[in-house]
Amino acid sequence: MAGVPFHLVDHPLAHDALAELRDARTPPAAFRDAAHRISLIVAAEALRDVPTEADTVATPIGPADARVVRADIVIVPVLRAGLGMVESILELVPRARVGHIGLQRDERTAVASQYYVRFPAQIASSFVLMIDPMLATGGSAVMALDLLSRAGASAVRVICIVAAPEGVAAVQRHHPGVSIYTPVVDRGLDERKFIVPGLGDFGDRLYGTVEA
């Protein structure tokens, strides 16, 4: 992982949620709950150094020194799987703005194509969290980061739930200044470009669209 700002979120509660996400027996409702829990933990870590300003607040007893977040935070999920993490992060930062990147992966070639992009205005000075639960080949992440870069975003972090070494390496090659936050890096990819052992198709398991 040398050369890329890489952050392994080694929190016991993150790994407890990850175990439930990996389990093939976990139904969609429980999968969504585990995704919510792990997203909160990883996002909190990714926001650890978000800029704050000194302030004073009036408690019922008297004034207290405070640190408040006034930075503009933008959450950008890669559709559709990334949507499953957005509400969790909005719990942490209710004032955050949300953009969307729609990418469709060709199941035969594993190459992503763009079908939708919408960013909030003036994100060049924003603190951007780009969300893609599965960092597999890295193709989707790199394409999403390219789009954010062209829109002027510079302070960007990638949040994912499971990563493969190939995906981390792809981000390293194309966007070496972008930090990656994840609880785990798995062994690698299979012949279908799925992460091994991974947890299957995140979007299908999240929304209950797994084929029988």
Side-chain angles (χ1 to χ4, degrees):
M1 307 302 174
V4 62
F6 182 83
H7 304 266
L8 196 65
V9 184
D10 193 23
H11 194 291
L13 295 179
H15 285 278
D16 180 77
L18 178 61
E20 190 162 7
L21 291 171
R22 288 197 193 272
D23 194 332
R25 300 168 297 178
T26 301
F31 190 94
R32 287 191 287 270
D33 179 73
H36 173 73
R37 289 186 282 122
I38 201 169
S39 298
L40 283 171
I41 296 166
V42 180
E45 189 63 28
L47 291 166
R48 179 180 289 274
D49 61 347
V50 67
T52 60
E53 296 180 9
D55 201 352
T56 302
V57 296
T59 79
I61 309 302
D65 293 335
R67 289 193 302 159
V68 296
V69 175
R70 292 201 174 96
D72 181 51
I73 298 173
V74 174
I75 307 166
V76 181
V78 175
L79 306 179
R80 67 178 168 150
L83 288 175
M85 302 172 68
V86 172
E87 291 302 320
S88 304
I89 302 173
L90 284 173
E91 284 191 17
L92 293 174
V93 279
R95 295 188 300 274
R97 300 185 293 161
V98 181
H100 297 89
I101 296 176
L103 301 177
Q104 178 86 26
R105 187 175 103 144
D106 186 300
E107 294 300 329
R108 184 177 56 84
T109 65
V111 175
S113 58
Q114 170 192 328
Y115 66 87
Y116 183 79
V117 176
R118 183 77 171 180
F119 297 140
Q122 300 175 335
I123 67 169
S125 58
S126 302
F127 197 94
V128 180
L129 301 179
M130 197 277 283
I131 309 168
D132 197 354
M134 308 296 287
L135 182 58
T137 66
S140 295
V142 168
M143 184 177 291
L145 290 168
D146 287 344
L147 291 166
L148 284 165
S149 179
R150 288 200 289 271
S154 57
V156 183
R157 279 95 193 275
V158 173
I159 296 179
C160 57
I161 291 175
V162 178
E166 295 91 334
V168 174
V171 173
Q172 177 180 10
R173 284 195 306 275
H174 296 280
H175 294 277
V178 171
S179 294
I180 301 170
Y181 291 79
T182 183
V184 67
V185 178
D186 276 356
R187 291 196 301 270
L189 304 176
D190 65 12
E191 66 281 357
R192 298 183 300 159
K193 307 301 183 185
F194 274 58
I195 300 175
V196 180
L199 49 79
D201 187 294
F202 187 93
D204 280 342
R205 297 192 65 195
L206 184 76
Y207 296 116
T209 53
V210 180
E211 293 183 4

